[in-house]
Amino acid sequence: MKTERLPLAPGCGGCSRRELLQGLGVAAVGALAVAAGCGQQGSTLSTATSSGCGTGECIDLSDAANKPLTTAGGAMLIDMAGDTILVVRVSDSQVVALSAICTHEGCSMDYLAGQKVIDCPCHGSQFATDGSVLRGPAVRALRVYNVTLANNRITVS
């Protein structure tokens, strides 16, 4: 059976329907691989051990697995309500909780304690601990969660 070649686009040179569909399939697989690669890049932080409590998640600071959150500058991740949350011990008495997912391309971020900024290693965006954008390419602030520190426990809701 002879395949009919039709000029489908300038520069195509007469692609067959089969060749066009095969080319699109290869392109789609390549695009998915690139997108998946970015989603895998990002944070080097460990995940805190937490448990559900009330309408949120509780992090027990007496649990050795959560040691980074016992001192100022420590940061860890938790998964909650369809979001990955970055919990940062800003000072001895203050903790913040924000989305750990960059609003630019969705990469998971780190906390740079020395600079007191949330940093996206994928494309260079940086955020303040109140969620505001300090440096793009991101233009939208991070989602901020309610957080309390009491009785050797951090509660994020």
Side-chain angles (χ1 to χ4, degrees):
M1 179 163 126
K2 184 176 179 181
T3 304
E4 181 181 347
R5 295 188 180 273
L6 300 171
L8 299 173
C12 179
C15 304
S16 71
R17 183 177 193 183
R18 175 176 289 173
E19 290 167 332
L20 175 66
L21 292 174
Q22 286 173 336
L24 289 174
V26 169
V29 169
L32 287 174
V34 169
C38 184
Q40 294 172 356
Q41 295 177 350
S43 183
T44 59
L45 295 173
S46 58
T47 300
T49 300
S50 66
S51 60
C53 60
T55 60
E57 284 289 310
C58 288
I59 302 169
D60 182 358
L61 296 178
S62 64
D63 185 332
N66 300 326
K67 185 173 172 54
L69 292 174
T70 62
T71 57
M76 297 183 84
L77 302 173
I78 61 170
D79 289 316
M80 185 176 107
D83 197 1
T84 300
I85 300 169
L86 175 65
V87 180
V88 178
R89 183 76 176 252
V90 178
S91 68
D92 289 339
S93 61
Q94 184 186 12
V95 178
V96 296
L98 312 99
S99 176
I101 307 304
C102 183
T103 58
H104 173 243
E105 290 285 334
C107 292
S108 182
M109 298 185 290
D110 284 317
Y111 179 67
L112 305 180
Q115 299 172 29
K116 297 184 180 180
V117 298
I118 299 161
D119 181 70
C120 180
C122 294
H123 302 109
S125 293
Q126 290 190 332
F127 302 84
T129 56
D130 68 358
S132 63
V133 177
L134 296 174
R135 182 176 78 197
V139 294
R140 286 183 297 124
L142 298 174
R143 180 174 179 189
V144 178
Y145 291 85
N146 293 320
V147 62
T148 58
L149 171 62
N151 303 322
N152 213 28
R153 182 190 330 196
I154 296 170
T155 305
V156 180
S157 57

